[in-house]
Amino acid sequence: MASDDAAARLALTDICKTFPGVVANDAVSLTLGPGEIHALLGENGAGKSTLVKIVYGVLRADSGEMRWNGQPVQVASPAQARRLGIGMVFQHFSLFDSLTVAENIALGFDEKVPMRDLTARIGEVSAHYGLALDPGRHVHTLSVGERQRVEIVRCLLQNPSLLIMDEPTSVLTPQEADRLFETLRQLASEGVTVLYISHKLEEIRALCEAATVLRGGKVVATCDPRTETARSLAQMMIGGELATPVRSGADEAGSERLTVRSLSLESEHPFGTPIRDVSLSVRAGEILGIAGVAGNGQPELLAALSGETLCPQADSILLDGQPVGRLGPRARRARGVCVVPEERLGQGTVPEMTLSENGFLSAYLRSGMLRQGLLQLRAMSRFASDIIEAYSVMTPGPATAAGSLSGGNLQKFIIGREILQNPDILIAAHPTWGVDAGAAAAIQQALLDLAKAGAAVLVISQDLDELFAISDRLAVICEGRLSASRPTKDTTVEQAGLLMGGMFDEAGEIIETHAA
Amino acid sequence: MLPRLEPRSGVSAAMMLLTPAIAVGLTLIAGVIMFAALGFDPGRALYTFFVKPVSTLYGVSELLVKATPLAIIGIGLALGFRANVWNIGAEGQFTLGAICGGGVALALHGVESWLVLPAMAVAGILGGLAWGAIPALLRVRFNANEILTSLMLTYVATLLLSYLVHGPWRDPDGLNFPESRMFEDSALLPVILDETRLSIAAPITLLIVLAGWLVLSRAFLGFQIKVVGQSPAAASYAGFSEKRLIWTTLCVSGALAGLAGMFEVSGPIGQLHPVVSPGYGFTAIIVAFLGRLHPVGVLFASLLIALSYLGGELAQIELKLPLALTGVFQGMLLFFLLGTDVLIRYRVRFGRRGAQIALPQGG
């Protein structure tokens, strides 16, 4: 199929794109046939996003040729791309918070569509593809996972013949991801070409029939992922040996560091999820994983644990046996708690501020960066440099603005900032979301090492593979309730999936049902 | 096809610093057009407005006298604006500072002590602080918008001053004029340049500018202010209390405005009048923005705006133009500044939606 360019739906030849100081794409060629599901693989900064933005008309290539169904085309804008039949689901959502789902989708259309027809079509598509959506909800009330559904449905409504998906499954349950794959396979069987970007190598092996691997802006390999292993794919990506997270031996878990007792909290947000009777404990030296689909109370639980939301009773949350429920984030930090928040930009970091300042943001109580109310600029810069070095953050230096880092690099910086503070208790939300395989392995290893060194680690994640890889015990949050925790090694993916669907009783134990 | 605004991919740091200069240039051009339309020789009118006021040493000293309150208030407002706390009521806090400082001067009438001035300063600061604390309380407790409450309190303050000088504090020997008695020498700021009204308020202003700069660039408080202003969620994550910062910024900006009010009545005015300010508290809002919310920028902006006060007065005397000209120039300056600010963040496009959309550089 690659030999016959005339039959190809999309053929890219020698695409080059240079940004000041960086060659993002260096003579990249790629051919996609009709009905093909093709993976685009590469580490952060390998040039994947640049390439698909060129295809989608967001960026213009410096040189090279693009053929669409055999015809040379210049895609000048996303609107033109959509007219050609190219749809794209971005990793970073482009939704307006204050508008409803239907209004946001209407904005994506280049022609005017009556709202009633649109609502009906949203209903059809979301039912057809199993992507539940309420068209009347305001986007700011939606979870990350639901927002992604809006993006996917918006794309599917335009009947694309090439669908570009940038990390679409990172916020779905295994069952939901499977349903999405069915959708994609169904689309492919109808002749739609899918260009699929993901860091989840296992799902690429399950879904894609061809893969193009980018490294440093160049195509370094093309392969059939079904005949490769996840490990071999990862090594093509990073061009070297992949370090797999090493679990420490079954050390005796230490004393209880973090305890939550029957915590119930009304959500401050009218559409938020109230926390209902949540109890958990994390011991020194272990990692407790909390799985769950987005929008089931994770942000509310995280805010209660970090102190951003105060609990009604002080003894709902104990640190080393001391009640801290009424203490704010600063006082809890002083007691050894560090937190990796959900949002990297705007919460975990201030985009306009430098890495030095962003290092200081959560570490101001430590490392001598604050004396007599004055910032110690040299210590701040040194701390940021330490993070950059220890966690291989790709950036010119501590004076760079946080907003200019790619998502994965920024995540490495945030994780490094929290871990280098030597926390007694680390609470991490989605530690490797949207981070490439090499960096994700490094982050997971850092979490394991931290626990081995005696810290209590709580990881809230939607990535089950990750939780199975690193956590000692696993609990699942669903509609604000938390299941009882179970040893990870005695838990199957199917059981976790059932718990994620809320199949647990008052005591938090799993309700076994007959397989339908 | 209507023009549209499209966000630019990045904001040039150089342009951020250049826009105030561009705005001044545009204001001058508009001034030329306006003078020409009014039938004046634009060159002579602009000379009268912008150059002649500072062509003598006395003129320069008057410029500093006018710039002093603008800079002091502007520093306080800039701190608040950085934290998205919109204190629009500096005029009222200034007035309360004048009332409290002046009240102490009147109460200590006849006391010859160097302690009178510090007592007045403390009273002025506390008065302004109290007037700033009211909107803070209302915002923190009842989520009442500080823009409205601080603005409304301005009218309360000016009416209170009017009542006092028409009533209880009226000069007993003043032939029923609505003014207080003249302050004694011990209640007047020492003049530092003979034959002028330039007092020690000017060097103190420089110290306040320096302190403001230190707070914003090096202090933990300034860091918290910047984080709250730029990313409220990050401030909450870091454990910076937004409520405490609302209290702090409103109290500090109120206190500084109060100090400026006390300086005004114990300096250039020397007694309490029904009106003690030609709108310094409102004009300082322009000063703060023109100075890019940076203390050093505020200092330069205060000099420029002070010039518009002097120029307006001189244009009234020499060209028989209405004093409203001052307001027109200040308004044009703010208009052009806001306009250029928009244009460095957005570009104007005609026709269909273009190709260049700024998207974050994803992984």
Side-chain angles (χ1 to χ4, degrees):
Chain A
M1 75 195 151
S3 57
D4 188 6
D5 275 4
R9 175 145 292 151
L10 176 73
L12 302 176
T13 317
D14 292 336
I15 297 287
C16 293
K17 176 73 187 176
T18 313
F19 293 111
V22 194
V23 180
N25 283 161
D26 187 359
V28 174
S29 298
L30 179 68
T31 307
L32 306 177
E36 180 182 350
I37 304 182
H38 192 109
L40 192 55
L41 278 174
E43 291 219 283
N44 288 330
K48 309 181 301 280
S49 292
T50 304
L51 187 67
V52 296
K53 280 177 191 166
I54 289 170
V55 172
Y56 194 55
V58 177
L59 294 172
R60 206 174 292 226
D62 298 337
S63 65
E65 192 193 35
M66 173 168 164
R67 282 173 176 269
W68 178 251
N69 293 327
Q71 301 297 314
V73 284
Q74 289 278 343
V75 184
S77 69
Q80 193 194 339
R82 286 192 290 268
R83 280 196 299 278
L84 289 172
I86 302 173
M88 175 152 181
V89 177
F90 282 95
Q91 181 187 1
H92 299 272
F93 311 137
S94 46
L95 300 173
F96 292 93
D97 281 351
S98 55
L99 300 181
T100 64
V101 169
E103 286 165 344
N104 264 290
I105 289 175
L107 282 173
F109 283 94
D110 298 311
E111 72 277 13
K112 281 218 165 71
V113 182
M115 196 51 85
R116 199 184 304 160
D117 298 0
L118 188 64
T119 309
R121 282 178 61 194
I122 293 170
E124 278 169 34
V125 169
S126 60
H128 183 65
Y129 295 116
L131 300 160
L133 267 187
D134 175 357
R137 280 272 293 274
H138 281 91
V139 164
H140 68 88
T141 67
L142 301 182
S143 66
V144 181
E146 290 165 318
R147 283 174 204 216
Q148 182 136 39
R149 271 178 232 161
V150 179
E151 294 272 6
I152 294 174
V153 168
R154 171 154 79 182
C155 249
L156 294 181
L157 278 170
Q158 311 202 351
N159 300 318
S161 49
L162 168 62
L163 187 59
I164 305 170
M165 308 209 85
D166 194 358
E167 304 264 352
T169 60
S170 29
V171 287
L172 306 179
T173 65
Q175 285 88 346
E176 282 175 320
D178 286 344
R179 216 174 314 160
L180 176 69
F181 295 162
E182 278 168 35
T183 306
L184 293 179
R185 289 196 191 97
Q186 187 188 335
L187 285 165
S189 72
E190 293 163 6
V192 177
T193 305
V194 178
L195 184 57
Y196 192 87
I197 303 172
S198 175
H199 297 298
K200 293 188 177 174
L201 302 168
E202 286 297 347
E203 77 184 31
I204 284 177
R205 291 185 57 236
L207 181 70
C208 303
E209 59 211 52
T212 298
V213 185
L214 290 180
R215 190 166 73 232
K218 291 195 175 89
V219 175
V220 291
T222 49
C223 62
D224 182 344
R226 290 168 299 191
T227 64
E228 300 286 336
T229 65
R231 192 174 180 80
S232 65
L233 287 172
Q235 284 170 355
M236 282 181 216
M237 260 164 59
I238 61 177
E241 279 292 304
L242 177 72
T244 6
V246 183
R247 295 286 287 272
S248 57
D251 290 10
E252 283 287 296
S255 58
E256 276 190 16
R257 306 294 309 248
L258 170 69
T259 312
V260 177
R261 288 200 303 217
S262 304
L263 172 67
S264 291
L265 262 186
E266 288 308 312
S267 178
E268 288 176 1
H269 198 281
F271 296 102
T273 310
I275 297 293
R276 288 186 285 160
D277 198 24
V278 163
S279 298
L280 61 86
S281 74
V282 195
R283 293 171 179 279
E286 74 167 357
I287 299 182
L288 172 68
I290 295 187
V293 181
N296 275 291
Q298 292 96 328
E300 287 83 1
L301 179 62
L302 187 70
L305 293 174
S306 71
E308 286 182 60
T309 310
L310 296 182
C311 306
Q313 270 109 35
D315 59 358
S316 297
I317 299 181
L318 308 175
L319 288 181
D320 292 322
Q322 299 295 311
V324 297
R326 301 293 301 159
L327 298 181
R330 189 173 174 168
R332 293 196 201 178
R333 276 218 173 82
R335 285 159 194 248
V337 178
C338 281
V339 180
V340 176
E342 281 204 314
E343 297 282 340
R344 282 166 211 160
L345 281 173
Q347 187 183 10
T349 59
V350 183
E352 300 88 348
M353 286 190 164
T354 65
L355 292 180
S356 273
E357 291 171 307
N358 274 301
F360 179 81
L361 180 70
S362 79
Y364 55 89
L365 294 173
R366 289 156 195 255
S367 315
M369 290 191 280
L370 184 62
R371 289 215 188 101
Q372 273 111 41
L374 291 182
L375 314 191
Q376 303 301 312
L377 302 182
R378 211 170 300 159
M380 284 165 61
S381 172
R382 205 180 312 124
F383 182 62
S385 302
D386 289 349
I387 301 171
I388 292 167
E389 200 184 311
Y391 286 83
S392 335
V393 181
M394 281 196 278
T395 173
T400 313
S404 69
L405 267 64
S406 71
N409 266 314
L410 195 57
Q411 186 71 6
K412 285 197 276 186
F413 181 82
I414 294 173
I415 297 266
R417 176 182 72 192
E418 302 306 314
I419 291 183
L420 285 187
Q421 295 178 54
N422 295 319
D424 297 324
I425 295 140
L426 179 74
I427 300 162
H430 318 303
T432 60
W433 189 49
V435 175
D436 63 68
I443 288 174
Q444 290 169 356
Q445 188 61 54
L447 294 173
L448 287 167
D449 291 347
L450 185 70
K452 190 169 169 56
V457 180
L458 179 88
V459 177
I460 300 176
S461 175
Q462 287 147 15
D463 184 346
L464 265 186
D465 296 342
E466 166 170 279
L467 293 177
F468 274 104
I470 62 172
S471 65
D472 299 291
R473 286 186 297 123
L474 193 64
V476 173
I477 188 165
C478 183
E479 292 177 356
R481 296 192 305 139
L482 190 72
S483 78
S485 69
R486 327 155 44 96
T488 309
K489 60 180 189 303
D490 303 337
T491 310
T492 64
V493 175
E494 288 68 33
Q495 286 171 324
L498 283 177
L499 290 170
M500 286 162 89
M503 301 294 286
F504 53 91
D505 58 25
E506 290 299 308
E509 296 300 334
I510 195 164
I511 302 168
E512 299 284 356
T513 53
H514 278 289
Chain B
M1 190 64 75
L2 285 172
R4 288 174 292 107
L5 289 177
E6 251 177 34
R8 293 175 191 269
S9 49
V11 177
S12 146
M15 286 306 284
M16 281 292 288
L17 294 174
L18 263 179
T19 46
I22 295 172
V24 169
L26 289 171
T27 306
L28 290 181
I29 294 169
V32 167
I33 296 169
M34 183 178 69
F35 283 128
L38 288 169
F40 290 94
D41 170 14
R44 178 166 165 256
L46 282 181
Y47 176 81
T48 309
F49 198 91
F50 285 107
V51 183
K52 204 165 178 202
V54 286
S55 57
T56 63
L57 183 63
Y58 181 77
V60 173
S61 77
E62 278 299 293
L63 182 76
L64 298 180
V65 167
K66 293 264 193 286
T68 297
L70 292 174
I72 297 177
I73 304 170
I75 297 284
L77 293 183
L79 289 178
F81 293 169
R82 287 263 186 141
N84 289 341
V85 175
W86 306 107
N87 177 8
I88 306 299
E91 183 80 359
Q93 293 140 22
F94 179 95
T95 306
L96 247 283
I99 291 174
C100 294
V104 168
L106 297 174
L108 298 181
H109 191 74
V111 177
E112 291 289 332
S113 164
W114 63 270
L115 283 170
V116 174
L117 272 174
M120 288 169 66
V122 169
I125 287 172
L126 290 178
L129 188 150
W131 225 239
I134 298 171
L137 177 75
L138 295 174
R139 163 88 188 268
V140 168
R141 285 277 299 179
F142 304 108
N143 208 17
N145 188 320
E146 74 279 8
I147 297 176
L148 297 176
T149 53
S150 65
L151 180 62
M152 289 192 289
L153 280 169
T154 297
Y155 303 109
V156 178
T158 48
L159 288 172
L160 178 63
L161 175 63
S162 180
Y163 161 74
L164 288 172
V165 294
H166 280 90
W169 290 359
R170 191 170 49 193
D171 184 356
D173 312 319
L175 307 168
N176 265 343
F177 277 108
E179 334 176 303
S180 77
R181 62 170 91 208
M182 296 296 291
F183 295 169
E184 305 239 332
D185 281 354
S186 61
L188 292 177
L189 293 175
V191 169
I192 56 171
L193 194 62
D194 285 341
E195 310 291 316
T196 70
R197 305 197 293 168
L198 190 66
S199 72
I200 56 162
I204 292 175
T205 305
L206 283 181
L207 291 180
I208 291 173
V209 169
L210 208 63
W213 182 57
L214 190 71
V215 164
L216 270 181
S217 65
R218 292 295 302 276
F220 192 34
L221 174 65
F223 183 82
Q224 298 184 42
I225 284 174
K226 286 186 278 188
V227 172
V228 161
Q230 292 175 19
S231 300
S236 160
Y237 159 70
F240 304 156
S241 160
E242 195 187 357
K243 287 182 178 179
R244 184 149 26 135
L245 286 171
I246 291 170
W247 275 109
T248 309
T249 52
L250 273 169
C251 287
V252 167
S253 57
L256 285 175
L259 180 67
M262 173 268 168
F263 279 169
E264 193 67 12
V265 291
S266 70
I269 301 180
Q271 64 187 135
L272 285 176
H273 282 184
V275 175
V276 291
S277 157
Y280 285 139
F282 294 120
T283 308
I285 298 170
I286 305 178
V287 168
F289 280 110
L290 191 63
R292 292 271 95 119
L293 304 184
H294 187 290
V296 177
V298 166
L299 181 65
F300 287 116
S302 69
L303 292 171
L304 184 66
I305 295 287
L307 184 60
S308 74
Y309 277 113
L310 295 183
E313 285 169 11
L314 207 60
Q316 187 184 23
I317 295 165
E318 297 213 343
L319 306 175
K320 307 282 179 278
L321 280 166
L323 194 57
L325 203 57
T326 300
V328 171
F329 268 101
Q330 290 176 357
M332 285 199 298
L333 192 54
L334 185 64
F335 172 80
F336 286 122
L337 182 72
L338 295 177
T340 46
D341 267 0
V342 167
L343 291 177
I344 60 169
R345 290 191 171 80
Y346 300 88
R347 68 179 89 235
V348 181
R349 282 195 179 270
F350 298 89
R352 291 191 61 84
R353 197 156 289 274
Q356 291 297 321
I357 293 176
L359 282 165
Q361 191 69 28

